[in-house]
Amino acid sequence: MLQTAQATHGFTYAKALAASEKINWRVEDLIGGERRLDFAKPFMPESLARIGEIGFLDAEARLKLNHIRAHGYLYTFGLVEEFILPFVLDHARPLLAEDDLRTRALLRFASEEAKHIHLFRTFEREFQAGFGTDCAMIGPAEEVGKAVLAHHPLSVALLILQVEWMTQRHYLESIRDNQGIDEQFKSLLRHHWMEEAQHAQLDTLMVEALAENRDARQIEQAVDGYLEIGGMFDGAFKQQAAFDLDALQRATGQVYRAAEAATIVAVQHQAMRWTYLGSGISHPNFLRSVAALSPAQATRLAEAAQAFG
Ligand SMILES: [Fe+2]
Ligand SMILES: [Fe+2]
């Protein structure tokens, strides 16, 4: 089964390394100096923000909530990449001398994630300087990272694989519903997408390596662990939706009635479920990797993804 999958996707360390070496953007090319966030425009694509579903919000509140979600995006990706970085280094380390292309591709992957952490933090600082209202966030990132990394490496690798395919979709959706989103934010999604395309390929190889010689029961346990991490994030996103409601009320000076507040939280929780979980779990390339390990587990995940749609 694994052999077939490898033949289908055709990913190799050599190809990922070569593709990565052609891309050389710097954080300062994307944000800072004259490159400022334009707070008159939305930052997040509507397909991820889903603010249109909350019909009673006025134009100011819609824009503010879009910005609050964008801040959450910067923070959440920063948080996720903070545990991807050590995980990739740990995966690379035991075999550093064995395969030069593998070592170089994985170290470049780690270095790009370190750059992305820097990128998201720099955008976050720009955001905070311009937005004017504090946004409370889930975390702390270090604790979340520890909780994730306590799981079996194959469970974590599946999560990372899902995250990388997810970012491919996020950029494509930002173009698809081209609604005049801020140029800097669009550029962030685009530049992230450029490098994550290689990460997704390397993650595919990482998942295959970690799944080698594991029987059906062990694969099932790894998927259990992956779903456990997903469940942990889902709970955190519900909390984040409540924080976002609070930030929205402070940013606009409006206080929503209980039923309206409940709608905002419910719609935004589901929007975050799609943004960070569903758009990755349901990605055909992610499911293809899981199907190569176990068709039954791929079916299980495709069904689980429906709750995050
Ligand atoms: Fe990244
Ligand atoms: Fe990545």
Side-chain angles (χ1 to χ4, degrees):
M1 202 68 195
L2 213 53
Q3 298 299 321
T4 320
Q6 277 162 348
T8 322
H9 64 59
F11 301 153
T12 65
Y13 293 115
K15 279 193 220 167
L17 177 63
S20 157
E21 283 177 329
K22 287 191 196 131
I23 302 165
N24 270 311
W25 55 262
R26 303 176 314 153
V27 171
E28 47 274 43
D29 297 333
L30 272 56
I31 191 76
E34 290 186 352
R35 293 182 180 80
R36 310 301 304 272
L37 292 170
D38 181 357
F39 284 86
K41 292 180 178 169
F43 297 164
M44 285 287 274
E46 173 58 20
S47 52
L48 302 178
R50 292 191 184 171
I51 287 160
E53 289 178 26
I54 313 169
F56 54 83
L57 293 182
D58 62 25
E60 186 208 1
R62 280 203 300 273
L63 188 61
K64 291 280 188 198
L65 186 53
N66 181 292
H67 291 165
I68 291 166
R69 282 293 307 288
H71 176 263
Y73 192 88
L74 298 170
Y75 175 85
T76 306
F77 261 94
L79 177 151
V80 167
E81 309 228 335
E82 272 178 53
F83 66 75
I84 296 181
L85 174 56
F87 185 84
V88 172
L89 287 174
D90 286 349
H91 183 74
R93 191 171 177 89
L95 300 172
L96 285 181
E98 225 155 272
D99 176 343
D100 293 338
L101 290 170
R102 175 187 182 274
T103 297
R104 290 183 60 204
L106 289 176
L107 289 184
R108 205 169 160 101
F109 176 176
S111 158
E112 284 165 359
E113 293 300 34
K115 181 172 72 174
H116 298 173
I117 293 170
H118 182 197
L119 173 76
F120 287 118
R121 282 191 186 144
T122 309
F123 261 82
E124 230 185 303
R125 278 196 296 274
E126 281 282 318
F127 181 94
Q128 283 157 356
F131 189 61
T133 302
D134 278 343
C135 304
M137 300 309 300
I138 51 170
E142 212 186 306
E143 292 304 315
V144 177
K146 261 191 219 159
V148 170
L149 293 173
H151 288 80
H152 189 280
L154 182 54
S155 304
V156 181
L158 286 169
L159 176 76
I160 296 174
L161 178 65
Q162 177 232 288
V163 167
E164 313 280 12
W165 285 123
M166 193 170 93
T167 57
Q168 302 298 292
R169 217 170 203 171
H170 291 179
Y171 171 60
L172 297 176
E173 294 193 351
S174 80
I175 308 175
R176 190 158 51 218
D177 54 90
N178 186 352
Q179 40 151 9
I181 68 172
D182 171 66
E183 281 309 314
Q184 258 58 53
F185 221 87
K186 198 167 185 170
S187 147
L188 170 120
L189 291 170
R190 187 163 73 85
H191 286 85
H192 198 218
W193 163 76
M194 285 161 67
E195 293 185 339
E196 297 292 305
Q198 283 68 251
H199 298 181
Q201 298 175 16
L202 293 170
D203 285 331
T204 305
L205 300 175
M206 208 152 69
V207 163
E208 283 172 3
L210 290 165
E212 222 168 46
N213 301 325
R214 293 195 184 277
D215 62 23
R217 179 76 197 117
Q218 289 170 315
I219 297 294
E220 188 185 349
Q221 283 169 344
V223 172
D224 289 347
Y226 162 77
L227 285 172
E228 221 173 271
I229 303 171
M232 178 185 87
F233 274 105
D234 187 28
F237 294 141
K238 192 171 183 189
Q239 171 66 65
Q240 188 61 58
F243 284 155
D244 288 358
L245 167 69
D246 178 56
L248 177 66
Q249 296 193 127
R250 281 185 287 109
T252 59
Q254 299 186 47
V255 179
Y256 296 100
R257 287 184 288 118
E260 289 175 337
T263 300
I264 295 171
V265 170
V267 170
Q268 287 300 294
H269 178 210
Q270 194 61 28
M272 277 184 254
R273 287 172 130 188
W274 168 251
T275 303
Y276 303 112
L277 297 167
S279 63
I281 303 176
S282 65
H283 198 291
N285 294 350
F286 172 71
L287 290 174
R288 183 186 64 184
S289 277
V290 179
L293 309 182
S294 157
Q297 293 306 314
T299 307
R300 180 186 178 200
L301 289 184
E303 279 166 11
Q306 288 172 14
F308 304 129

